[in-house]
Amino acid sequence: MLDNPALATAVEDDRLIRETGTDARVAAIVIPILRPMGFRLVRVRLSGQNGMTLQIMAERDDGTITVQDCEEISRAISPTLDVEDPIEQAYHLEVSSPGIDRPLVRKVDFEAAIGHAAKIETSVMVADKKRFRGKITAVDADSFTLERDLASYGDEPQVRVPFDALADARLILTDSLIREALAKDNREKKAARRGDADDAADDAFEGDEIEFEEDGDGDEEPDTDTDADGNTKTGS
């Protein structure tokens, strides 16, 4: 059992938006498991979908995650969840990526989202409203600026939202967001292929060196799924 789950969350959890209730108890359990594995928690959500589903949304520090990563996380957290037993009824565990229209839970998420549209909810009134929709245009140490889609008469076209007022935030799936996600995926695949090619070339070169030295006479003789929103996930 965790000696102090609340303390573990306070120490490890650097998110701007956090869970409450049962979701918070689950977050406190999984965060200390994810961090040593090289992953960070994005969101925990317990829902009534497919009976009862516990969704753990995670990613690496660079924002990537693979199907194999999701499987690894599921295997790692399942035994601890069984022991801690934060959920009284039976549930289906689903580990997934944040997806293209991802939740924005850290400052770096907002910085990466500059130029893209988002839906924002605040816990307190900001500029006489608690719900906003628009393009993120700037981020500073304590807040971000949103250019509203449809500003009401008398409203300023831009609103500054303090991070400590956030209740929920996520990107809106747009053509430009999809294009950027596809371009990033292509760059990562090309980089991976270049890395594999370089490794193969290094191996071949090293092998030639060994063979040349040994010759000595001067003669030189290598259950998964992705949903419609771009989420990589695995379930157990």
Side-chain angles (χ1 to χ4, degrees), residues 26 29-31 33-34 37 54 56 72-83 91 93-95:
V26 173
I29 293 168
V30 303
I31 287 173
I33 300 173
L34 293 177
M37 296 173 64
L54 175 64
I56 307 292
E72 181 184 356
I73 291 171
S74 182
R75 288 193 298 268
I77 65 176
S78 290
T80 306
L81 288 174
D82 289 342
V83 172
Y91 62 89
L93 175 63
E94 178 183 286
V95 178

Side-chain angles (χ1 to χ4, degrees), residues 31-204:
I31 287 173
I33 300 173
L34 293 177
R35 291 311 298 163
M37 296 173 64
F39 301 102
R40 61 189 181 190
L41 179 68
V42 176
R43 187 183 71 188
V44 172
R45 177 166 293 177
L46 183 64
S47 69
Q49 180 182 353
N50 299 326
M52 186 65 70
T53 298
L54 175 64
Q55 183 193 53
I56 307 292
M57 206 176 266
E59 64 187 355
R60 294 189 178 276
D61 288 339
D62 63 1
T64 64
I65 192 167
T66 66
V67 170
Q68 290 75 22
D69 291 336
C70 290
E71 294 172 346
E72 181 184 356
I73 291 171
S74 182
R75 288 193 298 268
I77 65 176
S78 290
T80 306
L81 288 174
D82 289 342
V83 172
E84 297 291 338
D85 197 22
I87 303 169
E88 295 181 352
Q89 58 198 100
Y91 62 89
H92 168 73
L93 175 63
E94 178 183 286
V95 178
S96 76
S97 71
I100 298 175
D101 54 340
R102 58 166 300 137
L104 306 174
V105 298
R106 292 178 172 85
K107 182 183 174 183
V108 292
D109 298 338
F110 287 87
E111 291 170 342
I114 291 176
H116 292 294
K119 291 191 291 186
I120 308 296
E121 291 187 22
T122 59
S123 57
V124 296
M125 299 293 282
V126 175
D128 298 324
K129 295 183 182 297
K130 295 179 74 172
R131 292 186 179 184
F132 303 90
R133 181 186 175 109
K135 184 183 294 183
I136 297 173
T137 58
V139 178
D140 60 34
D142 303 311
S143 64
F144 64 95
T145 302
L146 196 74
E147 184 180 289
R148 298 179 179 180
D149 277 353
L150 297 172
S152 302
Y153 179 77
D155 288 341
E156 291 293 329
Q158 293 194 337
V159 59
R160 176 179 172 274
V161 182
F163 285 130
D164 60 9
L166 283 174
D168 191 36
R170 71 175 303 126
L171 289 172
I172 297 172
L173 197 62
T174 62
D175 290 343
S176 63
L177 183 62
I178 293 171
R179 283 195 297 270
E180 182 176 295
L182 291 174
K184 179 182 177 182
D185 184 59
N186 286 334
R187 288 195 300 270
E188 290 172 352
K189 288 179 179 178
K190 288 179 181 178
R193 286 198 293 269
R194 284 197 299 271
D196 290 343
D198 290 343
D199 290 343
D202 289 343
D203 290 344

